Amino acid sequence: MFELNHAQQQAVEAGDGPQLILAGAGSGKTRTIVHRIGHLIAAHGTAPHRILAVTFTNKAAAELKGRLGDLIGDGGGGVMSGTFHALSLRFLRRYADALGYPKSFQVIDSDDQRTLVKRMLKLRNIASDRLHPAYLIGWIEHCKHAGLLPDQAETQMWSGIDLRELYAEYQAQLLQLERMDFSDLIVNAVRLLREIPDIAVALRARFDHVLVDEYQDTNPVQHEWLTLLCAEHHNLTVVGDDDQSIYGWRGADVRHILDFEHIWAGIAVGTHRLEENYRSTPSILKLANAVIHDNSNRHVKTLRPTRKDGIKPEWQVCNDEYDEARKIARFLNARRDQGVAWRDMAILYRSNRQSLALEQVLRQEDMPYQIIGGVGFFERLEIKDALSFWALINRCADAMHLLRIVNKPKRGIGLKGQEQVAAQLGASGMRASDWLDFLAEGHGEGAAKKLQPLAQLIVRVRAKLDQLEDYGLMTMLEETSYINSLQSFGQLEAESRLENIRTLQSYIEITMQEGVTPIEFMDRAALLQSGEEDNKDAEQSQVNLMSLHRAKGLEFDTVVLAGVEDGLLPHQRALDEGETGIAEERRLLYVGITRAENVLLLTSARQRKIFGDMHFPLPSRFIKNIAADTLHCKQANTVKMTAISHGLTVGSSVSHPSFGEGVVLELEGSGNATRVSVEFERVGLKRLMLKYAALKVKYPPK
Ligand code: ATP
Ligand code: MG
């Protein structure tokens, strides 16, 4: 079960010092990392806790632990593994005070980050048409990916505004709020290693070996993180594939892997090439190679198939996104009939938006599915509210938590009042929880006075926390009437929000029973938001839906790549940007294709609605010239345009007096017997007699 080929074995047993494993998709890179860790423990006697494995997602870290457990038993559990973010957070929990942060600092999510920046610009009277908040955030992120602090970044002027100064101000505000953003976690961990010799020595001495998967996607600050951490022993093993570098837009720099040998000046670097692919059938690999072949600037690698030939990949051209979704559903159902489990199937797409039509159809067809990524659980409004209450009871709340629920449910504290509360809290110099205790004792004026009952309630709940089985959350939400106030969303939505809160409640219970402290719980919630989690419920078998970016490192029996069209893959943004962007999109398609073990379907649509506008995309430039012996193309029957005399065709936007706006998916029959299938935005799919349907054509114009 655990066999390795010769090259893999050599990489596993390579001695100390930097080791580079550069190899193509499915060649066993991740497997080699796992075995190398096992080897270090079993043959070299390295203690598991002195090995650090850096992965790209929390799920990959869990997977690695699982595989290690299989390989070497329980000892695998002691290996420290996680993402750059999670590991940085661990280091900072211990040492953040050296950077002027309290150790109890919290992570700000992207929503709150945006609010903070907007507020900052508003205070300076900078309108968003002069400097868009998203642009400023993007620029700051760009500096952070490069590891540049405000005083190290190059001066950048935009409409006469000094962005560097705003970056400095943003950091000052975060510090005051005792918050770090996701990129700060990594930058600040690097600062510990760069600026504080004692801590650097301690961190370096903490591990004997560091191993990194998916190294092609590290950005400069992550790269610095690794080199500083390994500066003493140089025991850094990295594995990656330059053809799978897909995070250039987040500052990842593929040169780190291509120049790895040169980066370690004067130190011998072991290099290893794995050339056999164990994952995919030769037919799938042939397509993958045909796609990636056209990219210049790549390390040409040999990738020999080891498996027997299989089914040729297919490309299905569909009429529109609903036709596409139905064809995908049919295709997956057929695989299911052939005995493939739902969990071994995946639908991958370029843009999360594409999941909408897919979800509607999968639901209609009663097919179990899960969306990995998308709007995360912890980003939901009610969950953020509930967590703020929870943090307040448990004394790990900061000003942002308090301000979030100041008027939830309504306490007559409007926007002005909230500003007053913020100002008074700021002037008090107290932490949010302490300030509330102070209010509970009867202090506070104006808007703050209105918070007294809440403050007193918190004190009461906290006093009996030991006796509360719910760890205080539900009690708090009920006694503040927060749960009642959800009714204002309407009954259905209120129920679904309450359901989410109950899910949070049981998550809290399970986690707290593990002996986790409240602040550790808040950390977990924050990391789950950073886009690195997935809430995969391993018990259930469901089709996996996710973006191509999320699919990195994974494998499935059957893979569908949806929307392989110009405008989606390559994405319009990349088309506007030019060669570099397009090359990255091509790698993204390569990543998608190489996820498939046995069966691969690519789909495209002749027309697709994007943000309400109808588009008529061309097939992706990456596949349109691929020979038929590599990729078999099937065209959907174009629907007969029988009702064209009514000014109606497939793809027309229509409106109906009671069903509202919709798009025509299908026209059948002719004359008075014409039936029309319309996907309505509000009520879903309806099949109507055209004669009686009273449809108004909105697009194309008659
Ligand atoms: P990716 O580039 O997609 O991350 P990878 O190089 O990390 O791929 P793995 O996921 O480690 O590849 O391996 C791909 C598949 O091949 C896995 O199912 C793995 O178990 C299998 N595999 C790897 N090496 C061998 C081997 N020597 N013998 C049999 N199966 C192998
Ligand atoms: Mg891998």
Side-chain angles (χ1 to χ4, degrees), residues 30 213-214 553:
T30 302
D213 200 359
E214 308 275 2

Side-chain angles (χ1 to χ4, degrees), residues 3 34 57 169 195 220-221 247 256 265 271 322 346 354 387 407 426 448 456 474 501 533 601 614 637 679:
E3 69 269 44
V34 173
T57 60
E169 155 112 20
E195 298 170 15
V221 72
Y247 279 99
H256 294 144
T271 54
Y322 286 95
Q354 286 171 259
L387 270 180
N407 203 33
Q456 285 154 359
M474 288 318 243
I501 293 175
E533 101 290 10
L601 173 70
M614 190 56 79
N637 294 333
E679 179 73 32

Side-chain angles (χ1 to χ4, degrees), residues 166 225 237 352 420 470 497:
L166 290 178
W225 192 103
T237 300
N352 283 320
Q420 262 183 39
D470 66 355
R497 289 181 191 267

